Amino acid sequence: MPKRLLLIGAGHAHLTMIRDWNEAEKEEMEWVLISPGPYHYYSGMFSGLMEGLYKKEEVRVELGAFCRRHGGSFLEGAAVKIDYNHKQVQTDRGDTLFFDAASINIGAGTAGASRGKGSHVLKPALGVPETVERMRHADRPAVIGSGCGGVEMALSLQSWRQKHRREAYPVRLFSSGGIMPDETKQIQHAVRKLLQKQRVQVIEEGRAGEKEGLLHTGNGLHSFDEALWLTGSAAHPLFQASSLPTAEDGSLRVNAGMQVPGMPELFGAGDSVTMDAYPALPKNGVYAIRQAPVLKENITAFFQGGTSPLFTPQKNYTAILSTGGKKGLLIRGRLHFKGSTAWRLKNRIDKKFMASLHS
């Protein structure tokens, strides 16, 4: 009788692993993917969706069909507790699933996000199309957070609103620590010029919070009707509820073999984990996709024996931001360039990745 692998979460690492599995690697197991919604939305194309360059069908994967196509099964539901001692997972829909091994790739929440009326997040990405529509048609839209994600979404939203003549009230970008603070001063300067050119209003008054329908900053109050919070990652509550080993930020600890220390039946990858050997590794889709081959080989080794490779992240990676109007900003280390060539490269990479999940 084959042993059961439970894949908790439809993140980049899990979908890439499923896509790349061969029959020999899967022959010792049956696998089930569990996720809160019927679709996986690819975060790399959120900005293009916001700008109207993609339809929602182009940025998502229907998980039931995806799993059937690759020889597994799908269960809709969110894991709320993992009982490691009894090797079972409980879901918010009352299901109890047993496993011989489990892998966790559930992403992260949004740190500091308001739960008030008109507030939206992209982590977790359950209602992305509805969020996009609300932000597009808002009277006073606000984007909270000025990292790469906040800048990209503010520029893409402003571009859509300008094209559809909804620019009477500009998109406001709220920053608590500078524009893209993790980048070089040259890149920060280039981004500020882009925001100014697109007439995105930048508000740098300290950390923003929401109370009674207003955004509170260190220096004032700001009205809004729809706000998109892109304020960093927050650990998923599953780990604390399950008494699993966690890092300082509450994310799941894993070693370089993508296994939870002291719990060899549990694996993890992506935004939801912190690697003991690389605690400062950015939580983004680039590393999640690159963790997938190591995760796949180590899960195969768990069921079939063999060597267990270790994950070693590369020092630099290429990031490409959409900046509106089918233009982009490519960043690699201290280098950057902007324009239509950068956007075309991003578009080609994103569409190729999505095509690989649909084939």
Side-chain angles (χ1 to χ4, degrees):
M1 182 176 179
K3 294 184 177 181
R4 171 179 281 189
L5 170 66
L6 184 60
L7 301 175
I8 304 170
H12 296 349
H14 277 172
L15 296 193
T16 304
M17 178 177 71
I18 292 169
R19 179 198 68 188
D20 294 342
W21 257 333
N22 61 48
E23 292 305 316
E25 290 170 327
K26 294 184 291 185
E27 65 181 3
E28 298 294 330
M29 68 178 83
E30 64 172 12
W31 60 270
V32 180
L33 176 68
I34 174 175
S35 186
Y39 299 104
H40 163 78
Y41 288 92
Y42 175 45
S43 59
M45 299 175 82
F46 285 172
S47 57
L49 180 66
M50 180 69 83
E51 192 179 346
L53 303 179
Y54 307 126
K55 297 178 181 179
K56 64 182 180 181
E57 291 79 11
E58 296 179 89
V59 306
R60 70 186 187 188
V61 177
E62 200 278 299
L63 295 173
F66 178 80
C67 290
R68 290 191 296 272
R69 190 161 62 247
H70 292 280
S73 58
F74 171 66
L75 177 70
E76 187 172 339
V80 295
K81 186 175 182 181
I82 299 172
D83 183 343
Y84 175 76
N85 291 329
H86 295 91
K87 304 298 183 289
Q88 62 185 35
V89 173
Q90 299 171 9
T91 78
D92 61 346
R93 302 194 177 194
D95 295 302
T96 299
L97 294 90
F98 294 89
F99 64 84
D100 295 288
S103 180
I104 305 165
N105 184 208
I106 53 178
T110 301
S114 167
R115 297 180 181 270
K117 182 179 179 181
S119 289
H120 311 279
V121 297
L122 297 178
K123 291 182 178 183
L126 292 175
V128 173
E130 293 79 10
T131 294
V132 165
E133 285 300 307
R134 295 290 293 270
M135 294 299 297
R136 284 175 174 176
H137 297 285
D139 290 328
R140 287 178 169 80
V143 177
I144 320 299
S146 56
C148 290
V151 166
E152 186 177 40
M153 296 305 291
L155 287 168
S156 299
L157 175 59
Q158 181 78 339
S159 181
W160 186 94
R161 288 169 66 86
Q162 289 174 343
K163 182 178 179 180
H164 292 83
R165 302 188 183 280
R166 296 191 61 88
E167 53 188 317
Y169 201 94
V171 174
R172 289 164 298 164
L173 178 64
F174 286 78
S175 171
S176 63
I179 301 299
M180 293 178 55
D182 294 333
E183 303 297 338
T184 65
K185 291 187 181 298
Q186 291 86 350
I187 293 172
Q188 292 173 11
H189 179 69
V191 171
R192 284 187 181 273
K193 289 182 66 175
L194 287 170
L195 291 166
Q196 184 178 22
K197 182 179 179 180
Q198 288 288 83
R199 299 193 295 277
V200 173
Q201 183 181 358
V202 178
I203 298 174
E204 298 180 84
E205 299 179 352
R207 188 175 301 277
E210 187 272 333
K211 185 178 181 181
E212 297 179 352
L214 294 172
L215 288 173
H216 295 238
T217 65
N219 294 331
L221 302 175
H222 301 268
S223 62
F224 77 101
D225 57 338
E226 306 290 343
L228 180 59
W229 296 78
L230 294 157
T231 45
S233 296
H236 198 286
L238 173 65
F239 308 130
Q240 184 175 2
S242 305
S243 299
L244 299 180
T246 56
E248 289 185 7
D249 64 357
S251 57
L252 182 68
R253 286 178 53 209
V254 297
N255 59 30
M258 314 312 298
Q259 285 177 295
V260 178
M263 298 180 173
E265 295 87 355
L266 291 185
F267 298 80
D271 290 2
S272 53
V273 309
T274 293
M275 301 189 71
D276 287 343
Y278 308 101
L281 193 71
K283 298 182 187 301
N284 61 39
V286 172
Y287 285 116
I289 290 172
R290 291 181 176 167
Q291 287 168 349
V294 175
L295 181 68
K296 177 171 71 72
E297 290 189 44
N298 283 336
I299 288 176
T300 301
F302 177 84
F303 284 106
Q304 300 182 5
T307 59
S308 298
L310 303 180
F311 177 76
T312 303
Q314 64 186 68
K315 292 183 178 180
N316 292 314
Y317 63 91
T318 301
I320 311 177
L321 281 66
S322 286
T323 58
K326 291 189 176 181
K327 293 182 179 179
L329 174 67
L330 185 150
I331 302 171
R332 184 174 178 85
R334 302 179 63 86
L335 304 175
H336 74 281
F337 74 86
K338 59 186 178 180
S340 56
T341 300
W343 184 85
R344 286 197 298 269
L345 177 60
K346 174 178 171 57
N347 179 58
R348 184 163 64 247
I349 292 170
D350 289 340
K351 285 196 169 183
K352 182 179 179 180
F353 177 70
M354 288 302 290
S356 74
L357 296 181
H358 284 114
S359 62

